[in-house]
Amino acid sequence: MAVDYAVIVVYLAGMLAMGWWGMRRARSKSEFLVAGRRLGPAMYSGTMAAIVLGGASTIGGVGLGYQYGLSGAWMVFTIGLGLLALSVFFSARIARLKVYTVSEMLDLRYGGRAGLISGVVMWAYTLMLAVTSTIAYATIFDVLFDMNRTVAIVLGGSIVVAYSTLGGMWSITLTDMVQFVVKTIGVLLLLLPIAVVKAGGFGAMRDELPTAYFDPLGIGGETIFTYVLIYTFGMLIGQDIWQRVFTARSDTTAKWGGTVAGTYCLVYALAGAVIGTAAKVLYPKLANADDAFATIVKDELPVGVRGLVLAAALAAVMSTSSGALIACATVANNDIWSRLRGAVKRDGEEHDEVRGNRAFILVMGVAVICTAIALNNVVEALTVAYNLLVGGLLVPILGGLLWKRGTVQGALASVIVGGLAVIGLMASYGILANEPVYYGLLSSLAAYLVVSLATPATDAAVLAAWRERLAGKTVEPASEPVHT
C-alpha cells in the first residue's frame, strides 16, 4: 500500500498548496466569494460538475447500483437533470443579477424583508450538506489507513477548512478543477472498465444477476419521483449551486458550461450504477451496500491505480464539502450576521469583508467538523437538508423568477409554512419518509398563492429595478483577465 499512500499524501498536499495560491488572489469580496465572476467555460464546467458529484454521488451511487442494479443511477441522474434545467432555463438570469446569495435575490425581487428568514433556512441546508460530506471522510480514511472515525473526520475536514479559509472561492475553484480531472480518470476511465472486466463482462453480469437488476425502473416509480422532488428541484435553488453560477464570466458561460456539466453528471450516474452492479457479481453478500465502492477498489485494483481511485473518491467528497462550506459561511455572514450587525453598527464603521468572510469559513468549518463527529447517519442528515431546502424555499424562489404577482408576504408565508410543515411531518412520519417533502411543498405552494393574491402587488419600482438586474444592467468592474 506504500504507493497508494504516496498518491493520497501528494494529493492532499496539493490541495493545501492550492489554498495558499488562492490566498494571494482573493483580495476583494467578489474575488473571495465568487472568484471575481470571471470563470470561462472550461473551468466553470469542471468545477460545477465537481461540486454536485460528491461522496453521495460516488460512494452512494455505487451502493445503489449494488442494491438495485442499473436503476440505482436514478439518484445521480436526477441531480444531472436538475443541473441541466438550471443551466438551460435559469442560470443566465441568475448570473446577470450580480448578487452573492439566494436571499439577496429574494430581497431584490420582493423588495426586502425576505432575506433573513430564507437565509436561516438556507444556512441549515448548507450546514447539513457540509456535514454529510465531512462524515464521508471516515469511510475513505478507514479503507486507506484503518483510521479511527473521529480522527478521519478531523483530518479530512481540517484540510478542506484550511484551503477554503485561505483562498475562498479561488482556492476551491482550482482544487475542484483538479478533483474533476481525478474523478474522471479514477472513476470513469479506470474503475468502470476494470470492474466490468473483473465481473466477466456485461454478458456474465446478466447471467449472474436477476433481470430486475437491468430494469431501468427497478428502483420504483415512487422513489424516482421523490428523487426528482428532492434532488432535481434542489439543484435549482441551492446556495452552493447558485454560488458557482455567480462565478461565470457571462450568462452564456453559465448556460452552456452548466449544460456540459449536467450531461457529464448523467454519464457519471450510469457509470456508478454499472460499477455497483459489477460489485454485486463479485461480492454478492456484502452486509452494507455502501461498502461496495471501497471493497471493489481495495480488492480488485492494482497498486497505484487503487490509490488514484481512492483519491478520486476523496476528491468527490472534498469538492462537495468545500462548496457547501463556503456557501454556509457566505449565508451566515451576508444573510444573517450582516443583517443583525447592520442594525447596531455605528455610522462610518469600517469592515474588512474578506477577513470577515474568511473568519466565518473557519468558524463554520469547526462547527461542521464537530457536528459530523456527533452524527452518524449520512442519509438522514442529507434528507433533512434537502427536505428543508425544497419544502421551504423552492416555491418563493421559482415563484419570484416566474410569477410577477408574487409578494413579499406570500414569500415569507411560503418559507415559514413549508419549513414548519416539513419539520412537523418528519417528526410524525420519520426523517426518511416521502410524505414530508410532498406535503411540505404543497403547503408552501398554497401559502404562497393565497397570501400573494390576498396582499397588495409588489411595488412597481421594485419590479422595475428587478427587471433591470435580470437584464444585466448592473455590472461589477473586472480588474483581472478572464480565466478559462
Side-chain angles (χ1 to χ4, degrees):
M1 292 287 287
V3 175
D4 297 324
Y5 292 160
V7 171
I8 299 296
V9 170
V10 168
Y11 170 77
L12 294 176
M15 297 299 101
L16 292 174
M18 290 171 198
W20 183 261
W21 176 88
M23 183 176 66
R24 302 173 60 186
R25 299 294 306 272
R27 300 185 183 278
S28 68
K29 180 180 179 180
S30 177
E31 295 285 348
F32 191 82
L33 294 182
V34 291
R37 308 188 195 275
R38 293 184 287 105
L39 297 190
M43 188 168 284
Y44 178 86
S45 297
T47 57
M48 181 62 87
I51 188 177
V52 300
L53 296 173
S57 300
T58 303
I59 299 171
V62 172
L64 288 172
Y66 182 89
Q67 191 171 358
Y68 298 104
L70 297 186
S71 67
W74 273 106
M75 183 187 77
V76 184
F77 202 82
T78 55
I79 290 174
L81 292 178
L83 187 52
L84 285 171
L86 173 70
S87 302
V88 172
F89 298 113
F90 300 108
S91 63
R93 283 183 282 177
I94 293 170
R96 288 196 292 265
L97 289 175
K98 296 292 188 288
V99 295
Y100 292 98
T101 67
V102 175
S103 295
E104 287 181 40
M105 167 264 169
L106 292 174
D107 275 350
L108 281 172
R109 166 59 182 82
Y110 295 111
R113 295 183 291 161
L116 182 60
I117 294 177
S118 62
V120 171
V121 175
M122 189 63 77
W123 173 80
Y125 157 73
T126 53
L127 178 71
M128 295 308 292
L129 185 61
V131 166
T132 58
S133 301
T134 305
I135 291 173
Y137 293 130
T139 301
I140 298 171
F141 282 113
D142 178 56
V143 174
L144 285 172
F145 308 115
D146 194 23
M147 187 178 290
N148 174 270
R149 177 181 183 275
T150 299
V151 175
I153 289 173
V154 171
L155 175 61
S158 296
I159 293 171
V160 170
V161 171
Y163 73 69
S164 301
T165 301
L166 286 171
M169 187 59 82
W170 271 122
S171 295
I172 292 171
T173 295
L174 188 57
T175 55
D176 277 0
M177 197 63 198
V178 173
Q179 289 159 358
F180 169 74
V181 173
V182 171
K183 280 191 287 192
T184 301
I185 295 172
V187 175
L188 297 185
L189 301 184
L190 292 176
L191 182 58
L192 175 60
I194 291 173
V196 172
V197 170
K198 291 284 187 179
F202 288 106
M205 290 163 63
R206 282 187 171 275
D207 293 338
E208 290 287 335
L209 297 173
T211 55
Y213 267 73
F214 302 92
D215 180 357
L217 304 179
I219 199 170
E222 184 178 356
T223 299
I224 295 171
F225 180 67
T226 302
Y227 284 159
V228 170
L229 279 184
I230 293 178
Y231 297 115
T232 301
F233 287 134
M235 288 295 107
L236 298 180
I237 58 175
Q239 169 66 27
D240 53 323
I241 309 302
W242 277 41
Q243 199 156 344
R244 293 309 173 99
V245 175
F246 300 150
T247 66
R249 74 183 183 192
S250 67
D251 52 8
T252 302
T253 296
K255 181 176 182 178
W256 295 110
T259 300
V260 171
T263 304
Y264 178 90
C265 291
L266 303 184
V267 175
Y268 200 89
L270 184 59
V274 171
I275 293 168
T277 304
K280 183 67 175 180
V281 174
L282 295 168
Y283 312 99
K285 296 182 179 180
L286 289 179
N288 187 345
D290 283 341
D291 292 337
F293 179 88
T295 302
I296 196 170
V297 169
K298 191 173 183 179
D299 293 350
E300 303 298 336
L301 299 187
V303 173
V305 173
R306 181 170 50 208
L308 183 59
V309 173
L310 287 172
L314 196 58
V317 173
M318 283 185 150
S319 56
T320 300
S321 181
S322 59
L325 176 59
I326 194 171
C328 178
T330 302
V331 170
N333 188 16
N334 291 269
D335 292 336
I336 301 174
W337 173 244
S338 290
R339 295 170 192 268
L340 298 175
R341 181 177 178 274
V344 298
K345 71 178 181 180
R346 297 183 296 274
D347 291 339
E349 183 181 69
E350 296 285 335
H351 181 55
D352 184 338
E353 292 194 90
V354 173
R355 183 181 298 175
N357 282 293
R358 185 172 279 135
F360 264 86
I361 290 180
L362 180 59
V363 171
M364 290 298 105
V366 172
V368 165
I369 291 172
C370 293
T371 306
I373 292 171
L375 294 179
N376 191 36
N377 194 312
V378 177
V379 175
E380 288 190 359
L382 193 63
T383 302
V384 170
Y386 274 99
N387 281 353
L388 283 172
L389 178 70
V390 174
L393 292 180
L394 177 68
V395 171
I397 292 172
L398 294 189
L401 289 169
L402 300 173
W403 190 43
K404 66 179 182 179
R405 186 60 182 82
T407 67
V408 65
Q409 293 89 350
L412 288 171
S414 179
V415 174
I416 294 170
V417 171
L420 291 178
V422 164
I423 294 171
L425 289 166
M426 284 193 294
S428 174
Y429 285 95
I431 290 175
L432 298 180
N434 293 325
E435 287 82 0
V437 71
Y438 293 169
Y439 300 134
L441 189 56
L442 288 174
S443 62
S444 177
L445 177 61
Y448 183 72
L449 294 175
V450 171
V451 176
S452 290
L453 292 173
T455 52
T458 304
D459 187 84
V462 172
L463 289 177
W466 167 253
R467 286 191 291 269
E468 286 189 3
R469 293 294 284 263
L470 282 179
K473 295 182 179 180
T474 301
V475 181
E476 288 189 346
S479 58
E480 298 184 40
V482 169
H483 292 256
T484 59

